[in-house]
Amino acid sequence: MKCIWLGQAGFLFITHGGTTVMIDPYLSNTLEEEQGPAYHRQVPVQPEFLCTPDVLLITHSHADHMDFGTLDVLFEKVHRPLTVLAAEKAFWAMRQRYGGKAEFVLMTPGTEVTLADMHFTAVSAAHSDPSSIGFVLEADGVFIWHTGDTLFHRSLLAQRPAVVDLLILPINGKGNNMNAVDAVRLTRILQPAYVLPMHWDLFSTFGCAVQPFADLLAQDPVRVLIPAHYTEFVL
């Protein structure tokens, strides 16, 4: 499976069969325009990634995850069937805004959906949007767990799949997210092959340094991935 980090919690996944999945894309400057310079982007937008995927995943309703500045553009370009898998609050907001432009599926912890060559499972998250979820994606024999925004919570441990090839989790320690120490605790319990720290990179006021997280895992068997933004890597 090919993966591309779009910044913050946004990713694009492409299966060997060509299915494209986008999760929590923030590819605009909406937050700075609406809330001021604290939300100035540290990573510029690359417009070529403003493309409509086959499947869109939205973990929760906060504006850096359900960004209408990005989503309005994506929905304007819809020219093929689009399926949206969304947490409850985001589901209702998007269905009201975009109506019949997609097939909207309400995802709660434990919900599973198979689409084309991908299987999706919603898992719980502990965040300030109480309907927040994470996703486990399975395709090409690879299991990816994108936790969404979350604090460390024991409910996460009970939902662990048999294998986690790539764990993607927040480390910034602000806005009801795990800090680096708690993210390391979760990583060590889940024992993924690779871990990718997210949600530290886009806004300097709400970000953090990534190296302390990597240093804490330097002696662990898990490999820490810190890919360049918009650059493809393969699992």
Side-chain angles (χ1 to χ4, degrees):
M1 188 189 307
K2 299 176 182 177
C3 309
I4 299 170
W5 188 23
L6 304 176
Q8 196 74 337
F11 289 83
L12 177 65
F13 304 108
I14 306 168
T15 70
H16 290 165
T19 302
T20 56
V21 177
M22 192 176 284
I23 184 168
D24 286 359
Y26 180 75
L27 294 168
S28 76
N29 204 27
T30 304
L31 281 170
E32 183 177 15
E33 293 166 359
E34 295 182 351
Q35 301 190 39
Y39 288 92
H40 177 71
R41 294 184 63 100
Q42 302 300 304
V43 180
V45 175
Q46 290 199 10
E48 61 266 33
F49 289 95
L50 281 163
C51 55
T52 305
D54 298 307
V55 184
L56 176 65
L57 311 180
I58 303 294
T59 63
H60 65 290
S61 63
H62 291 164
D64 55 332
H65 299 258
M66 184 186 69
D67 170 39
F68 290 135
T70 298
L71 298 176
D72 286 351
V73 175
L74 297 187
F75 276 91
E76 284 176 6
K77 296 182 176 182
V78 170
H79 61 278
R80 57 182 176 176
L82 168 63
T83 301
V84 179
L85 309 183
E88 184 174 4
K89 192 172 179 181
F91 168 85
W92 291 111
M94 293 180 66
R95 198 169 78 159
Q96 181 178 23
R97 188 177 184 96
Y98 301 116
K101 293 185 177 180
E103 175 69 24
F104 292 93
V105 181
L106 173 60
M107 301 293 285
T108 58
T111 303
E112 299 188 26
V113 176
T114 302
L115 298 167
D117 54 353
M118 296 199 75
H119 185 78
F120 305 89
T121 303
V123 296
S124 63
H127 193 52
S128 49
D129 173 350
S131 70
S132 295
I133 57 174
F135 284 96
V136 175
L137 295 73
E138 178 187 357
D140 301 334
V142 172
F143 288 83
I144 299 173
W145 186 342
H146 186 299
T147 68
D149 279 9
T150 189
L151 295 164
F152 185 102
H153 196 283
R154 292 196 173 274
S155 66
L156 298 175
L157 312 183
Q159 300 170 89
R160 176 186 178 180
V163 175
V164 183
D165 294 299
L166 173 62
L167 176 64
I168 303 172
L169 78 178
I171 66 164
N172 66 314
K174 298 180 181 180
N176 284 271
N177 277 331
M178 284 180 281
N179 58 28
V181 173
D182 286 332
V184 166
R185 286 177 60 212
L186 184 61
T187 300
R188 285 175 172 160
I189 293 170
L190 297 180
Q191 288 291 301
Y194 297 88
V195 62
L196 195 162
M198 68 169 183
H199 215 293
W200 57 269
D201 59 311
L202 204 56
F203 307 120
S204 58
T205 305
F206 304 99
C208 66
V210 69
Q211 196 57 48
F213 172 82
D215 290 346
L216 286 170
L217 289 169
Q219 303 304 315
D220 288 65
V222 60
R223 293 183 60 183
V224 179
L225 296 180
I226 308 174
H229 296 89
Y230 306 117
T231 301
E232 183 181 289
F233 62 98
V234 178
L235 287 178

